[in-house]
Amino acid sequence: MDQDTGKARLLGDSTVRVAAPSLRAEARPWCLVVVAGPAIGTRYELGDAAIIGRDPGADIQLAEPSVSRRHCHVFRKRGSYWVTDLGATNPTRVNGLQIKASPLLEGDVLTIGDLVLKLLGPNSPENAVVAALHRQATRDGLTGLANRRCFRAEMERVMAAAGEAGPSLVLLDIDHFKHINDRFGHPAGDRVLSTVGGVLAQCVAPPALAGRVGGEEFAVLLPDAGSKAALELAETLRQALEALCLDEDGEPLPVTASFGVAERAQAEESVDALYLRADTALYEAKRGGRNRVVLGAA
């Protein structure tokens, strides 16, 4: 396969196919978009059901004082969406009318506290525009992974809602990336970044989130996993990158990465503290010879 459509890479007995993330087609799901109030323009994709509220454990968290901790429940019923109020202090409204339970049709507006959200269907032109704007705001343009701002926001949300297990964080940095740019040129460096992003997109499954958080630095957040699962994923990624067979004008272009792993040490640990421990482990991996995985101290 050529560089624009991705390349097949051998990993053990299997073949890892790395597609160009920017060309990956995505279906637009039903969504709620904030059209008035704080965080205007924010888009929330809908599945079969979602609890909406201020509680960090809500499926859709709206961190506004006017929103109750468990404000309302949006769910599918016989192919359509419905919404029920969950005893909110500021009652839920649909198209301005206070409701206990109501169907929610495409184009309807849902008032939750001081926020007004609009329901958009998969074929809505507004959905297409909002989805494109949302992707630009939350995704890295080269790799298609979560960008630094989006990744940080998800870390904060997960850390606030986490129970006893996890979360864990994996940081990885491409080894000798400056040499790659200097030796092969920046276009080749961009291809390496895109390929690494493709490997992460293939190997990291929800609810874990992969992101590009720096020039050649990537991260994976595992919301419900401890250090053992995080170490196993890091080693899988390390081997997948080491097995890549890239070349530039017939000259081999090896790709490896160093990894730092950290699990939340205690419930009160901050996002910055967890990130720092994973980052310290990453630099230990660099100092230890690169192309290795190091678990950060608790």
Side-chain angles (χ1 to χ4, degrees):
M1 301 173 69
D2 62 28
Q3 66 192 30
D4 294 324
T5 58
K7 299 183 179 182
R9 304 290 176 233
L10 292 180
L11 173 57
D13 296 329
S14 62
T15 299
V16 177
R17 295 194 177 276
V18 181
S22 60
L23 301 181
R24 193 173 296 144
E26 293 184 352
R28 292 188 302 274
W30 287 83
C31 68
L32 287 168
V33 178
V34 180
V35 295
I40 189 169
T42 305
R43 177 176 180 270
Y44 301 98
E45 295 183 357
L46 291 175
D48 289 334
I51 299 295
I52 303 177
R54 195 177 72 251
D55 194 302
D59 301 300
I60 296 177
Q61 184 189 8
L62 305 176
E64 297 296 330
S66 61
V67 177
S68 294
R69 294 185 66 83
R70 289 170 57 88
H71 200 104
C72 62
H73 181 207
V74 175
F75 58 95
R76 283 187 185 273
K77 181 179 178 181
R78 293 192 290 274
S80 300
Y81 277 105
W82 281 69
V83 58
T84 58
D85 184 83
L86 298 178
T89 302
N90 295 315
T92 306
R93 297 177 180 272
V94 174
N95 298 327
L97 299 177
Q98 181 177 329
I99 59 97
K100 290 183 181 286
S102 171
L104 194 59
L105 306 178
E106 182 171 1
D108 282 350
V109 292
L110 181 64
T111 302
I112 302 175
D114 293 336
L115 300 174
V116 179
L117 300 94
K118 187 173 184 179
L119 180 67
L120 300 178
N123 298 318
S124 166
E126 287 182 83
N127 195 335
V129 172
V130 171
L133 292 174
H134 183 265
R135 183 173 182 83
Q136 289 178 14
T138 61
R139 295 287 154 176
D140 173 61
L142 182 61
T143 65
L145 302 178
N147 61 23
R148 183 182 184 88
R149 180 179 179 183
C150 174
F151 192 89
R152 169 77 187 209
E154 183 63 8
M155 273 195 74
E156 291 175 346
R157 187 194 71 80
V158 166
M159 294 281 279
E164 293 300 320
S168 292
L169 179 65
V170 177
L171 295 183
L172 59 140
D173 191 270
I174 300 174
D175 295 329
H176 304 296
F177 189 71
K178 183 177 184 302
H179 172 74
I180 292 174
N181 279 331
D182 292 345
R183 176 67 184 84
F184 298 99
H186 288 277
D190 285 349
R191 284 191 289 275
V192 169
L193 292 171
S194 180
T195 301
V196 171
V199 170
L200 266 67
Q202 183 172 0
C203 296
V204 177
L209 176 70
R212 182 184 175 201
V213 295
E216 65 268 25
E217 187 171 309
F218 296 79
V220 181
L221 177 67
L222 295 90
D224 303 316
S227 58
K228 180 180 178 182
L231 284 168
E232 290 174 353
L233 175 61
E235 181 59 24
T236 296
L237 293 170
R238 189 197 66 77
Q239 292 181 28
L241 296 177
E242 186 180 42
L244 291 173
C245 301
L246 302 182
D247 67 82
E248 183 68 20
D249 294 330
E251 183 176 347
L253 199 170
V255 178
T256 63
S258 301
F259 294 76
V261 176
E263 179 183 0
R264 184 185 63 168
Q266 54 189 4
E268 296 77 18
E269 185 172 32
S270 68
V271 169
D272 290 333
L274 177 61
Y275 199 99
L276 178 60
R277 289 197 296 111
D279 195 51
T280 300
L282 168 61
Y283 279 94
E284 287 180 12
K286 291 279 190 183
R287 288 191 293 268
R290 296 183 169 84
N291 190 26
R292 63 189 60 206
V293 177
V294 171
L295 175 63

